[in-house]
Amino acid sequence: MADRPTLMAVHAHPDDEATGTGGILARCAAEGMRTVLVTCTDGGCGDGPGGVKPGEPGHDPAAIIEMRQRELEASCAVLNVTDLELLGYADSGMMGWASNEAPGSFWSTPVEEAAARLAELIERYRPDVVVTYDENGFYGHPDHIQAHRITMAAVAATKVPAKVYWTTAPHSQMAEFGRIMREHGADWDEAGPADLPEIGAPDEQITTWVDVTEFGEQKFDALAAHASQSENIFFLRMGKPLFTQMMGVETFIRVHDTTGAALPEDDLFAGLR
Ligand SMILES: [Zn+2]
């Protein structure tokens, strides 16, 4: 199916596509590429209407799964994602929750089993570039770690993509987020954690800085499609101009490359054009 350049992004939950890769998905689509989003879980451990959390009265996973799928489809429409593939595993919840080991959870699924399903998609779409998370799933969420594991296993098995990236954020950007959160904490009643854990990567480890400011509005609107999830509210409260300023460069670590494109790069398809 490699009729045109193809980007595949492998994400854990509905909404993850927007924050780290909304810009590159929109940009690649605008350039006429095929963009394949693989979402591994159903997001059933997300917030229900009104911000109700798992385990609280009124948290209805079946209704949440359906709502989140509609939100995901709306986000994909905004980003002009050409192909959405759902692996449909149950959301494992945060590390340590009983849902980690629930039957059908992504975390309890053997890596080789889920990787084989992803490998089939890689064989079908033949992506030139694949993007997923680092070994820590960026922030330690079991489904993000599992998405990383199955992607690396599927890439190794198929040897299809010319380039593979881990999405991350430079420590300088995380520090800037912390500053903004502190600044707005008093105005935004749910500004988020004031002290971010040590996540992301040292700036010097970032190999690839992609300017997506032109697509900031689409990225914001894609995230706004997932407004039911309270962790997105911090970003949405920034408003479009600040959001685009803060989120207008998407950053990656290149971990596999057959093109020899020089580093640092500003284009995931450098060496392939
Ligand atoms: Zn997630």
Side-chain angles (χ1 to χ4, degrees), residues 13 18 29-30 57 72 78 99 117 141 156 175 228 234 256:
H13 306 104
L72 180 59
V78 168
S99 51
R117 292 183 59 202
H141 190 299
S228 67
F234 161 72
H256 169 73

PDB file of all heavy atoms in Angstrom, residues 13 18 29-30 57 72 78 99 117 141 156 175 228 234 256:
ATOM      1  N   HIS A  13      -3.721   5.943  24.057  1.00  0.00           N
ATOM      2  CA  HIS A  13      -5.124   6.281  24.350  1.00  0.00           C
ATOM      3  C   HIS A  13      -5.666   7.291  23.354  1.00  0.00           C
ATOM      4  O   HIS A  13      -4.889   8.058  22.776  1.00  0.00           O
ATOM      5  CB  HIS A  13      -5.231   6.920  25.753  1.00  0.00           C
ATOM      6  CG  HIS A  13      -4.622   6.109  26.846  1.00  0.00           C
ATOM      7  ND1 HIS A  13      -3.397   6.424  27.406  1.00  0.00           N
ATOM      8  CD2 HIS A  13      -5.050   4.984  27.455  1.00  0.00           C
ATOM      9  CE1 HIS A  13      -3.105   5.508  28.323  1.00  0.00           C
ATOM     10  NE2 HIS A  13      -4.080   4.620  28.372  1.00  0.00           N
ATOM     11  N   ALA A  18      -2.968  13.931  19.915  1.00  0.00           N
ATOM     12  CA  ALA A  18      -3.052  15.381  19.735  1.00  0.00           C
ATOM     13  C   ALA A  18      -1.860  16.108  20.353  1.00  0.00           C
ATOM     14  O   ALA A  18      -1.242  16.958  19.711  1.00  0.00           O
ATOM     15  CB  ALA A  18      -4.355  15.905  20.327  1.00  0.00           C
ATOM     16  N   ALA A  29      -0.289  15.308   6.541  1.00  0.00           N
ATOM     17  CA  ALA A  29      -1.527  15.226   5.755  1.00  0.00           C
ATOM     18  C   ALA A  29      -1.588  16.389   4.764  1.00  0.00           C
ATOM     19  O   ALA A  29      -1.954  16.214   3.603  1.00  0.00           O
ATOM     20  CB  ALA A  29      -2.742  15.222   6.672  1.00  0.00           C
ATOM     21  N   ALA A  30      -1.193  17.581   5.232  1.00  0.00           N
ATOM     22  CA  ALA A  30      -1.228  18.751   4.349  1.00  0.00           C
ATOM     23  C   ALA A  30      -0.256  18.598   3.184  1.00  0.00           C
ATOM     24  O   ALA A  30      -0.450  19.177   2.116  1.00  0.00           O
ATOM     25  CB  ALA A  30      -0.901  20.017   5.146  1.00  0.00           C
ATOM     26  N   PRO A  57     -18.595   6.865  41.915  1.00  0.00           N
ATOM     27  CA  PRO A  57     -19.955   6.533  41.476  1.00  0.00           C
ATOM     28  C   PRO A  57     -20.261   7.224  40.152  1.00  0.00           C
ATOM     29  O   PRO A  57     -19.887   8.385  39.948  1.00  0.00           O
ATOM     30  CB  PRO A  57     -20.844   7.114  42.590  1.00  0.00           C
ATOM     31  CG  PRO A  57     -19.946   7.442  43.727  1.00  0.00           C
ATOM     32  CD  PRO A  57     -18.550   7.558  43.206  1.00  0.00           C
ATOM     33  N   LEU A  72     -12.102  10.719  19.501  1.00  0.00           N
ATOM     34  CA  LEU A  72     -10.930  10.364  18.691  1.00  0.00           C
ATOM     35  C   LEU A  72     -11.223  10.570  17.210  1.00  0.00           C
ATOM     36  O   LEU A  72     -10.395  11.103  16.466  1.00  0.00           O
ATOM     37  CB  LEU A  72     -10.537   8.907  18.977  1.00  0.00           C
ATOM     38  CG  LEU A  72      -9.331   8.357  18.222  1.00  0.00           C
ATOM     39  CD1 LEU A  72      -8.078   9.171  18.503  1.00  0.00           C
ATOM     40  CD2 LEU A  72      -9.099   6.886  18.595  1.00  0.00           C
ATOM     41  N   VAL A  78     -10.117  16.588  12.410  1.00  0.00           N
ATOM     42  CA  VAL A  78      -9.426  17.884  12.470  1.00  0.00           C
ATOM     43  C   VAL A  78      -8.022  17.775  11.887  1.00  0.00           C
ATOM     44  O   VAL A  78      -7.553  18.663  11.160  1.00  0.00           O
ATOM     45  CB  VAL A  78      -9.344  18.379  13.934  1.00  0.00           C
ATOM     46  CG1 VAL A  78      -8.387  19.553  14.061  1.00  0.00           C
ATOM     47  CG2 VAL A  78     -10.729  18.748  14.459  1.00  0.00           C
ATOM     48  N   SER A  99      -6.751  -2.404  37.528  1.00  0.00           N
ATOM     49  CA  SER A  99      -7.055  -2.554  36.097  1.00  0.00           C
ATOM     50  C   SER A  99      -5.821  -2.932  35.280  1.00  0.00           C
ATOM     51  O   SER A  99      -5.951  -3.405  34.154  1.00  0.00           O
ATOM     52  CB  SER A  99      -7.673  -1.263  35.548  1.00  0.00           C
ATOM     53  OG  SER A  99      -6.868  -0.139  35.883  1.00  0.00           O
ATOM     54  N   ARG A 117      -0.109  -8.063  15.941  1.00  0.00           N
ATOM     55  CA  ARG A 117      -1.212  -7.319  15.315  1.00  0.00           C
ATOM     56  C   ARG A 117      -0.708  -6.011  14.709  1.00  0.00           C
ATOM     57  O   ARG A 117      -1.116  -5.615  13.615  1.00  0.00           O
ATOM     58  CB  ARG A 117      -2.308  -7.043  16.342  1.00  0.00           C
ATOM     59  CG  ARG A 117      -3.022  -8.319  16.792  1.00  0.00           C
ATOM     60  CD  ARG A 117      -4.146  -8.008  17.748  1.00  0.00           C
ATOM     61  NE  ARG A 117      -5.126  -7.113  17.145  1.00  0.00           N
ATOM     62  CZ  ARG A 117      -5.970  -6.350  17.852  1.00  0.00           C
ATOM     63  NH1 ARG A 117      -5.944  -6.384  19.160  1.00  0.00           N
ATOM     64  NH2 ARG A 117      -6.827  -5.578  17.234  1.00  0.00           N
ATOM     65  N   HIS A 141       3.210   5.781  32.229  1.00  0.00           N
ATOM     66  CA  HIS A 141       1.901   5.118  32.156  1.00  0.00           C
ATOM     67  C   HIS A 141       2.077   3.738  31.518  1.00  0.00           C
ATOM     68  O   HIS A 141       2.718   3.626  30.472  1.00  0.00           O
ATOM     69  CB  HIS A 141       0.938   5.966  31.328  1.00  0.00           C
ATOM     70  CG  HIS A 141      -0.481   5.495  31.396  1.00  0.00           C
ATOM     71  ND1 HIS A 141      -0.878   4.243  30.975  1.00  0.00           N
ATOM     72  CD2 HIS A 141      -1.607   6.108  31.858  1.00  0.00           C
ATOM     73  CE1 HIS A 141      -2.185   4.116  31.171  1.00  0.00           C
ATOM     74  NE2 HIS A 141      -2.644   5.236  31.704  1.00  0.00           N
ATOM     75  N   ALA A 156      11.063  -4.336  14.633  1.00  0.00           N
ATOM     76  CA  ALA A 156      12.160  -5.309  14.502  1.00  0.00           C
ATOM     77  C   ALA A 156      11.728  -6.515  13.669  1.00  0.00           C
ATOM     78  O   ALA A 156      12.511  -7.057  12.891  1.00  0.00           O
ATOM     79  CB  ALA A 156      12.624  -5.758  15.891  1.00  0.00           C
ATOM     80  N   ALA A 175      10.396  22.705  31.825  1.00  0.00           N
ATOM     81  CA  ALA A 175      10.603  23.780  32.804  1.00  0.00           C
ATOM     82  C   ALA A 175       9.690  24.962  32.493  1.00  0.00           C
ATOM     83  O   ALA A 175       9.126  25.597  33.394  1.00  0.00           O
ATOM     84  CB  ALA A 175      12.068  24.214  32.793  1.00  0.00           C
ATOM     85  N   SER A 228     -13.239  16.256  27.366  1.00  0.00           N
ATOM     86  CA  SER A 228     -13.818  15.517  28.500  1.00  0.00           C
ATOM     87  C   SER A 228     -12.744  15.049  29.470  1.00  0.00           C
ATOM     88  O   SER A 228     -13.049  14.698  30.607  1.00  0.00           O
ATOM     89  CB  SER A 228     -14.602  14.304  27.995  1.00  0.00           C
ATOM     90  OG  SER A 228     -13.719  13.363  27.406  1.00  0.00           O
ATOM     91  N   PHE A 234      -5.618  21.890  31.172  1.00  0.00           N
ATOM     92  CA  PHE A 234      -4.479  22.806  31.345  1.00  0.00           C
ATOM     93  C   PHE A 234      -4.068  23.406  30.000  1.00  0.00           C
ATOM     94  O   PHE A 234      -3.885  24.617  29.871  1.00  0.00           O
ATOM     95  CB  PHE A 234      -3.293  22.064  31.989  1.00  0.00           C
ATOM     96  CG  PHE A 234      -1.970  22.750  31.810  1.00  0.00           C
ATOM     97  CD1 PHE A 234      -1.677  23.924  32.496  1.00  0.00           C
ATOM     98  CD2 PHE A 234      -1.007  22.236  30.943  1.00  0.00           C
ATOM     99  CE1 PHE A 234      -0.460  24.566  32.327  1.00  0.00           C
ATOM    100  CE2 PHE A 234       0.210  22.872  30.765  1.00  0.00           C
ATOM    101  CZ  PHE A 234       0.479  24.039  31.459  1.00  0.00           C
ATOM    102  N   HIS A 256      16.115   4.910  14.916  1.00  0.00           N
ATOM    103  CA  HIS A 256      16.405   3.987  13.814  1.00  0.00           C
ATOM    104  C   HIS A 256      16.399   4.804  12.542  1.00  0.00           C
ATOM    105  O   HIS A 256      15.527   5.662  12.358  1.00  0.00           O
ATOM    106  CB  HIS A 256      15.345   2.880  13.750  1.00  0.00           C
ATOM    107  CG  HIS A 256      15.413   2.057  12.493  1.00  0.00           C
ATOM    108  ND1 HIS A 256      16.410   1.132  12.268  1.00  0.00           N
ATOM    109  CD2 HIS A 256      14.625   2.037  11.379  1.00  0.00           C
ATOM    110  CE1 HIS A 256      16.222   0.563  11.076  1.00  0.00           C
ATOM    111  NE2 HIS A 256      15.140   1.102  10.520  1.00  0.00           N
TER     112      HIS A 256
END
